[in-house]
C-alpha cells in the first residue's frame, strides 16, 4: 500500500508537490488587472488637462489628435449611436461598457511597444482625456480610483450573455435534409469581383 | 454583387450525385510515346544527395515552398498586432504541422527565456503559488488533440464572398496534440475559495493579453500546455507555456501564460468587451460567446489549388465543433440543394478536427461545392444566409456558415455566395 502511494501522486488529495508561495512584492509586481467594480484599481488620479498633454506626446501619433485614428491605427472616439447602422463605428465611447476597462488595457498594453511604462496617475489622466474626447466627462474632470467605476458609459446596457442555444435553437436538427432541400442555387456574389485577395507576389518567402 | 449565369442545374444536381456514388474507376488513358520521366535517369537517381546533417532541423521539400502561412496586408496597421493564416488548402490529414499553425499576436511574438518564465496563481485561493517551467514538468501530464479556431475566422465574409482562398476565409484554425498538465489537478491542490467563479489568464507578452474564463471550464478540461505535436511550443504559439481552452475561441488560449488570478466576477477586459463580442443587427451585442459552433470547409479543390482535371476527383475538407465531436459531414455539388454523406477518415475525437472525403467522378460541368458538419449535440452547420437572418452582418466573430466554392469547367475554383 505505501509503495503504491509513493508511486501514484494524486494531486487532489495532496498539497501541490512543487512551487512556492509568491511573496507580497511579487504579487504586487504583476497584479495589474482592474475590474469594473473597481477591484484592482490603484490609488491615484489624473485630469483631462494632464491627459491631453500626455496623449499628444505618447498616443496621438497612432490614435490621432482627436482619437480619430491615424491611418489604419484604431480609433478611440466617436460613433455613439451608430451600433445599429449598416456600418457601425465601435470605439471606447460608442461601444465599451466600462471605463475601468480602458484603465486595465492602457496600463498593460499601451503605448504600443512601450507597455507598462505609464504611472498610475498618468493612466488616470489618459482615461479622463479619452472619456472627454468622447463627451462622456466634462473638461474639468479628474479621474480617480474612486470615480472610475461609477462612470456611466453610453453603451453599458448594450451587452447580453450568449443566447445561441435558445436564439439559434433551429440550428439543432435531428435529421439533416439530403434531397431537394431548397430551390436550385443561384450565384449571388463572387469574391473575384471584390478582388482583395493578396496575390502570390505579396506572399512571404520561405527560407 | 455581380451576377453570373447559373450552372446547368439539370446536369448538376442528381446526375453528379449518381456519378459520385459510383465506385468503379474508369480505364486509364494509354500513352503514345514513352514518358521521359521514366526513360531518362534523373540526377537524384545517380548522384549522392545531402548528408544526414544538411538540415539539423528538417524543412519541407523546396517543391512545397508555396505551402506557407500568409497574411492579408490591408487587414491591419502593422505586423505586430496582426494575423496570418494556415495554408489549409494544401494540407491533408488532421494534424497541423507546427510551423504552419496560424499566428495572431497583439504585440508581436514574445521571446521568452523559459528559465526566467514563471506562472503565478493567486487571488481567491488558500495557497497561492509560483511555478517554474521545471516545476510544471514535474507534475503528472497528459496528451490531448484539440482544434483552436480564432473567433474571427471567416469574419471577412459576413457581407459576402471577399477572399478567394480557403487559407484566407478559413485559415485561422489549427489542430495539434498538446502535452501539459490538467489545470484542474493544480487548482484542486490550491484550495479554491468556494465563492470563486472566474479565472483571469494573463500573458507575459507586451500586450499582457488577459481574458476571463469561467472557473467551471478551468476545472473541466483546460490544460497548461508546454508542448505541441511532441516538441516544445513554438514561440508564436506561446512558448514556453500556453493555456489550452478546448472548443472555445482561440483568444482565450492565452499564450506566454504568466498569471492566473481567481475571482468572483469576470474582468470584462478589452478582449472580452471591445473585441470578441458579437454585434447584432439591432445594435446590441452578445458577450461570452466562448464556444465555437460546428463548422466545415472543403479545402481541396478550393480557389488556391491547381486546376482539377475531369474524371476521378478527391473532394477533401476539414470539420470541427466546439460542442463535442463531429458526427457527420455532408457534401453538396449543387450549392446546397442535394447532399451526400462524406467519408470521415482518421481519428474522430471530441473538440478535435476531423478530415472528410468525397470521391467523385467529375464530368467537367460547373459545380457549387459545399460541406456541412453536424456535431454530437445535433447542431447542424447553417447556411450563411440562415446565419445572417439571426446575426446580421456586423458581428465579425463566429461566422460558421456553409462555404461555397464554384468549380468552373476549366477546373479552377472561386469563392462565391449562393441563394
Amino acid at each position: 500500500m505505501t509503495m503504491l502511494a509513493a508511486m501514484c501522486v494524486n494531486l487532489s488529495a495532496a498539497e501541490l508537490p512543487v512551487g512556492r508561495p509568491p511573496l507580497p512584492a511579487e504579487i504586487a509586481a504583476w497584479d495589474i488587472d482592474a475590474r469594473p467594480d473597481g477591484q484592482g484599481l490603484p490609488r491615484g488620479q489624473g485630469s483631462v488637462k494632464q491627459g491631453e498633454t500626455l496623449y499628444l506626446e505618447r498616443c496621438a501619433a497612432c490614435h490621432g489628435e482627436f482619437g480619430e485614428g491615424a491611418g489604419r491605427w484604431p480609433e478611440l472616439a466617436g460613433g455613439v449611436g451608430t451600433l445599429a447602422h449598416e456600418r457601425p463605428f465601435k470605439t471606447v465611447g460608442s461601444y465599451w461598457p466600462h471605463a475601468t476597462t480602458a484603465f486595465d488595457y492602457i496600463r498593460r498594453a499601451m503605448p504600443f511597444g512601450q507597455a507598462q511604462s505609464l504611472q498610475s496617475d498618468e493612466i488616470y489622466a489618459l482615461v479622463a482625456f479619452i472619456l472627454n474626447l468622447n463627451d462622456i466627462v466634462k473638461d474639468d474632470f479628474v479621474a480617480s480610483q474612486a470615480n472610475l467605476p461609477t462612470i456611466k458609459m453610453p453603451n453599458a446596457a448594450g451587452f447580453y450573455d450568449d443566447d445561441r442555444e435558445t436564439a439559434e435553437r433551429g440550428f439543432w436538427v435531428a435529421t439533416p435534409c439530403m434531397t431537394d432541400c431548397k430551390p436550385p442555387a443561384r450565384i449571388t456574389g463572387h469574391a473575384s469581383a471584390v478582388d482583395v485577395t493578396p496575390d502570390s507576389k505579396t506572399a512571404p518567402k520561405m527560407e | 454583387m455581380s451576377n453570373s449565369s447559373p450552372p446547368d442545374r439539370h446536369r448538376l444536381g442528381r446526375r453528379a450525385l449518381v456519378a459520385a456514388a459510383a465506385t468503379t474507376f474508369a480505364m486509364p488513358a494509354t500513352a503514345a510515346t514513352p514518358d521521359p520521366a521514366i526513360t531518362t535517369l534523373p540526377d537524384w537517381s545517380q548522384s549522392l544527395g545531402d548528408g544526414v546533417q544538411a538540415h539539423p532541423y528538417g524543412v519541407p521539400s523546396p517543391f512545397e515552398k508555396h505551402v506557407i502561412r500568409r497574411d492579408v496586408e490591408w487587414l491591419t496597421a502593422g505586423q505586430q498586432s496582426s494575423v496570418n493564416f494556415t495554408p489549409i488548402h494544401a494540407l491533408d490529414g488532421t494534424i497541423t504541422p507546427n510551423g504552419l499553425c496560424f499566428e495572431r499576436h497583439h504585440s508581436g511574438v514574445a521571446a521568452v527565456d523559459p528559465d526566467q518564465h514563471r506562472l503565478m496563481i493567486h487571488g481567491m485561493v488558500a495557497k497561492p503559488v509560483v511555478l517554474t517551467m521545471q516545476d510544471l514538468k514535474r507534475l503528472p501530464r497528459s496528451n490531448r488533440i484539440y482544434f483552436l479556431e480564432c473567433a474571427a475566422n471567416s469574419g471577412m465574409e459576413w457581407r459576402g464572398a471577399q477572399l478567394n482562398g480557403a487559407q484566407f476565409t478559413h485559415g485561422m484554425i489549427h489542430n495539434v496534440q498538446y502535452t501539459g498538465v490538467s489545470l484542474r489537478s493544480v487548482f484542486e491542490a490550491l484550495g479554491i475559495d468556494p465563492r470563486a467563479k472566474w479565472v483571469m489568464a494573463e500573458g507575459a507578452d507586451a500586450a499582457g493579453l488577459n481574458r476571463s474564463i469561467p472557473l467551471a471550464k478551468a476545472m473541466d478540461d483546460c490544460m497548461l500546455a508546454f508542448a505541441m505535436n511532441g516538441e516544445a511550443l513554438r514561440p508564436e504559439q506561446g512558448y514556453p507555456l500556453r493555456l489550452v481552452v478546448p472548443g472555445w475561441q482561440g483568444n482565450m488560449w492565452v499564450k506566454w501564460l504568466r498569471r492566473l488570478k481567481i475571482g468572483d466576477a469576470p474582468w470584462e477586459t478589452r478582449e472580452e468587451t471591445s473585441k470578441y463580442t458579437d454585434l447584432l443587427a439591432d445594435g446590441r451585442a452578445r458577450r461570452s460567446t466562448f464556444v465555437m459552433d460546428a463548422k466545415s470547409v472543403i479545402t481541396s479543390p478550393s480557389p488556391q489549388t491547381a486546376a482539377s482535371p475531369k474524371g476521378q476527383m478527391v473532394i477533401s475538407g476539414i470539420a470541427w465543433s466546439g460542442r463535442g465531436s463531429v458526427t457527420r459531414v455532408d457534401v453538396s455539388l449543387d450549392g446546397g440543394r442535394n447532399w451526400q454523406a462524406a467519408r470521415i477518415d482518421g481519428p474522430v475525437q471530441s473538440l478535435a478536427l476531423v478530415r472528410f472525403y468525397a470521391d467523385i467522378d467529375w464530368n467537367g460541368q460547373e459545380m457549387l461545392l459545399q460541406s456541412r458538419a453536424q456535431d454530437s449535440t445535433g447542431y447542424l452547420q447553417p447556411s450563411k444566409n440562415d446565419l445572417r437572418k439571426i446575426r446580421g452582418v456586423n458581428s465579425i466573430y463566429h461566422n460558421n456558415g456553409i462555404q461555397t466554392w464554384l468549380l468552373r469547367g476549366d477546373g479552377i475554383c472561386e469563392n462565391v455566395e449562393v441563394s
Side-chain angles (χ1 to χ4, degrees):
Chain A
M1 281 304 277
T2 41
M3 268 288 284
L4 265 181
M7 283 164 63
C8 308
V9 181
N10 180 357
L11 290 184
S12 61
E15 299 273 312
L16 201 61
V18 296
R20 62 165 177 85
L23 300 173
E26 291 173 331
I27 295 180
W30 277 10
D31 198 12
I32 57 170
D33 54 281
R35 287 197 329 200
D37 60 5
Q39 195 191 95
L41 282 175
R43 226 173 295 144
Q45 59 171 49
S47 67
V48 171
K49 270 240 118 26
Q50 291 164 328
E52 178 170 22
T53 313
L54 260 171
Y55 180 89
L56 293 175
E57 273 170 29
R58 306 205 55 185
C59 323
C62 295
H63 293 295
E65 236 176 280
F66 306 99
E68 77 281 12
R72 285 174 301 172
W73 301 105
E75 303 91 348
L76 300 182
V80 172
T82 67
L83 297 180
H85 290 187
E86 198 190 329
R87 298 275 172 180
F89 184 35
K90 295 189 281 183
T91 70
V92 175
S94 69
Y95 195 58
W96 291 33
H98 310 291
T100 52
T101 301
F103 190 98
D104 176 88
Y105 181 71
I106 294 166
R107 190 188 201 186
R108 66 181 58 251
M110 290 293 134
F112 193 57
Q114 293 168 278
Q116 299 191 54
S117 63
L118 297 164
Q119 302 304 309
S120 297
D121 287 348
E122 296 178 313
I123 304 165
Y124 280 114
L126 286 163
V127 174
F129 179 69
I130 293 168
L131 293 175
N132 181 254
L133 275 181
N134 281 289
D135 299 323
I136 294 167
V137 299
K138 300 222 171 72
D139 294 351
D140 61 359
F141 178 71
V142 179
S144 68
Q145 181 187 25
N147 67 17
L148 218 50
T150 68
I151 304 289
K152 279 265 161 304
M153 298 294 277
N155 193 43
F159 297 85
Y160 59 97
D161 283 336
D162 186 4
D163 66 346
R164 283 175 291 174
E165 290 186 5
T166 48
E168 300 181 0
R169 193 66 234 161
F171 295 159
W172 276 263
V173 170
T175 326
C177 174
M178 298 302 281
T179 43
D180 296 331
C181 302
K182 66 179 197 186
R186 200 167 36 76
I187 294 177
T188 57
H190 286 260
S192 54
V194 188
D195 200 19
V196 287
T197 312
D199 59 33
S200 52
K201 285 183 228 96
T202 66
K205 301 236 166 8
M206 194 183 69
E207 295 300 279
Chain B
M1 302 233 164
S2 74
N3 287 311
S4 95
S5 52
D8 184 333
R9 286 166 215 132
H10 296 291
R11 253 165 277 194
L12 216 143
R14 297 289 187 135
R15 261 184 61 173
L17 280 173
V18 171
T23 50
T24 49
F25 292 87
M27 285 297 288
T30 51
T33 52
D35 181 356
I38 296 170
T39 55
T40 28
L41 260 187
D43 189 44
W44 58 78
S45 300
Q46 288 200 289
S47 38
L48 301 177
D50 279 344
V52 288
Q53 279 293 92
H55 300 287
Y57 195 111
V59 294
S61 158
F63 296 99
E64 299 296 319
K65 67 174 186 294
H66 57 288
V67 184
I68 49 173
R69 297 182 287 217
R70 295 180 60 188
D71 65 342
V72 176
E73 225 189 292
W74 53 266
L75 267 181
T76 53
Q79 297 262 309
Q80 281 79 24
S81 174
S82 196
V83 61
N84 63 17
F85 302 88
T86 307
I88 53 172
H89 64 290
L91 300 179
D92 215 316
T94 59
I95 296 294
T96 316
N98 285 341
L100 295 178
C101 291
F102 81 94
E103 306 170 74
R104 171 72 173 116
H105 320 302
H106 291 264
S107 290
V109 180
V112 178
D113 174 350
D115 291 340
Q116 301 304 315
H117 190 72
R118 304 286 181 270
L119 173 66
M120 186 187 290
I121 307 176
H122 71 123
M124 295 174 74
V125 287
K127 294 171 278 184
V129 71
V130 175
L131 298 160
T132 63
M133 288 308 298
Q134 193 194 35
D135 290 335
L136 283 164
K137 289 179 180 177
R138 292 169 64 200
L139 295 174
R141 65 182 80 153
S142 50
N143 297 298
R144 297 281 185 279
I145 297 171
Y146 294 118
F147 78 83
L148 179 161
E149 185 186 18
C150 176
N153 200 19
S154 316
M156 299 309 299
E157 304 287 307
W158 275 108
R159 288 171 187 277
Q162 272 225 75
L163 291 163
N164 214 15
Q167 177 170 21
F168 303 112
T169 57
H170 289 74
M172 284 156 81
I173 176 113
H174 55 67
N175 189 67
V176 308
Q177 185 189 56
Y178 295 95
T179 306
V181 176
S182 117
L183 189 54
R184 177 200 192 106
S185 70
V186 174
F187 277 5
E188 280 181 339
L190 299 182
I192 301 217
D193 187 316
R195 291 163 304 171
K197 291 213 161 53
W198 291 83
V199 184
M200 188 208 69
E202 178 184 84
D205 60 330
L209 190 136
N210 59 337
R211 283 296 303 254
S212 311
I213 293 152
L215 184 60
K217 178 66 173 176
M219 297 300 273
D220 178 15
D221 56 3
C222 290
M223 278 172 87
L224 300 166
F226 45 79
M228 58 193 289
N229 290 337
E231 63 177 356
L233 292 174
R234 291 292 170 92
E236 66 270 29
Q237 303 300 338
Y239 179 86
L241 189 66
R242 159 173 241 175
L243 187 65
V244 168
V245 190
W248 289 20
Q249 52 180 240
N251 184 260
M252 305 176 84
W253 300 45
V254 174
K255 300 188 280 191
W256 314 289
L257 182 72
R258 75 165 195 179
R259 193 161 70 104
L260 293 167
K261 186 174 182 179
I262 320 292
D264 57 2
W267 274 255
E268 305 203 51
T269 71
R270 182 254 189 176
E271 301 293 335
E272 57 208 41
T273 53
S274 170
K275 309 293 170 191
Y276 302 98
T277 48
D278 315 337
L279 183 61
L280 303 193
D282 67 358
R284 297 194 311 144
R286 282 183 184 149
R287 70 176 162 217
S288 307
T289 48
F290 305 137
V291 179
M292 298 311 296
D293 293 310
K295 186 167 173 179
S296 68
V297 65
I298 292 171
T299 52
S300 176
S302 68
Q304 295 159 289
T305 57
S308 302
K310 265 203 307 194
Q312 188 67 25
M313 174 191 291
V314 175
I315 295 175
S316 172
I318 52 178
W320 61 94
S321 169
R323 291 196 171 82
S325 56
V326 173
T327 48
R328 69 178 294 149
V329 180
D330 302 311
V331 164
S332 173
L333 310 178
D334 62 2
R337 183 164 157 83
N338 295 289
W339 297 89
Q340 56 176 303
R343 176 169 62 83
I344 295 176
D345 197 286
V348 177
Q349 293 175 19
S350 190
L351 311 180
L353 178 149
V354 302
R355 171 65 56 178
F356 67 84
Y357 299 106
D359 303 294
I360 68 160
D361 184 2
W362 181 41
N363 61 9
Q365 293 290 323
E366 282 193 351
M367 296 196 290
L368 290 167
L369 301 176
Q370 295 187 340
S371 65
R372 177 182 78 176
Q374 187 169 39
D375 71 20
S376 48
T377 71
Y379 181 98
L380 186 68
Q381 183 183 1
S383 72
K384 288 187 179 175
N385 291 331
D386 285 346
L387 208 55
R388 290 186 187 113
K389 272 181 216 146
I390 299 177
R391 310 248 191 105
V393 294
N394 284 326
S395 70
I396 301 175
Y397 306 105
H398 292 287
N399 184 351
N400 68 319
I402 290 171
Q403 174 65 44
T404 311
W405 306 128
L406 165 67
L407 180 64
R408 302 188 317 225
D410 61 4
I412 300 289
C413 268
E414 261 190 68
N415 177 8
V416 296
E417 286 279 332
V418 293
S419 58

